[in-house]
Amino acid sequence: MYNKEKMRLITAIMPMTTTMPIIRALHEMGVYTANKSAARGSSNTSARHDVEMEVMTVLIEQSRADEIFAFIYEKGGLYEPRHGIIFESDVTLSSCYTLPN
């Protein structure tokens, strides 16, 4: 079954150990569509190479996207220089899955 509401995908790339407290807080807010994975990379402005980061993705209804984006931005400290990046994109189609009782 497809979602009838428009969805947004929020992606945040943050330092290691940053995402789990945010994901737990999102669960308390009723958001269960947050995932995390590990990544490694570097930039031409970084003195260190092969820096490990976490990538967090949250699939959220468009009506809550601004609220959740601001929450992740604040809790992740993304306003601090070189602390990560966050962006949001449209999702064309998504499915709604529920677990049986």
Side-chain angles (χ1 to χ4, degrees), residues 8-33:
R8 305 285 287 172
L9 181 66
I10 300 171
T11 304
I13 303 171
M14 298 180 279
M16 295 298 286
T17 70
T18 306
T19 60
M20 277 313 296
I22 297 170
I23 290 173
R24 287 187 193 104
L26 289 171
H27 284 182
E28 291 174 8
M29 297 168 64
V31 178
Y32 299 104
T33 54

Side-chain angles (χ1 to χ4, degrees), residues 11-64:
T11 304
I13 303 171
M14 298 180 279
M16 295 298 286
T17 70
T18 306
T19 60
M20 277 313 296
I22 297 170
I23 290 173
R24 287 187 193 104
L26 289 171
H27 284 182
E28 291 174 8
M29 297 168 64
V31 178
Y32 299 104
T33 54
N35 299 291
K36 80 171 188 93
S37 59
R40 181 176 62 185
S42 65
S43 71
N44 60 355
T45 60
S46 175
R48 294 179 53 205
H49 296 285
D50 294 331
V51 177
E52 289 191 65
M53 302 289 276
E54 290 180 332
V55 179
M56 181 174 65
T57 57
V58 181
L59 184 64
I60 194 73
E61 299 88 2
Q62 186 173 358
S63 60
R64 292 193 70 192

Side-chain angles (χ1 to χ4, degrees), residues 45-101:
T45 60
S46 175
R48 294 179 53 205
H49 296 285
D50 294 331
V51 177
E52 289 191 65
M53 302 289 276
E54 290 180 332
V55 179
M56 181 174 65
T57 57
V58 181
L59 184 64
I60 194 73
E61 299 88 2
Q62 186 173 358
S63 60
R64 292 193 70 192
D66 290 343
E67 167 200 359
I68 300 303
F69 186 97
F71 179 80
I72 296 169
Y73 180 83
E74 288 296 321
K75 293 292 182 187
L78 295 167
Y79 48 83
E80 296 178 18
R82 294 182 288 279
H83 204 264
I85 186 171
I86 186 170
F87 54 94
E88 184 177 323
S89 57
D90 283 326
V91 174
T92 306
L93 189 64
S94 66
S95 298
C96 182
Y97 297 98
T98 57
L99 295 173
N101 292 330

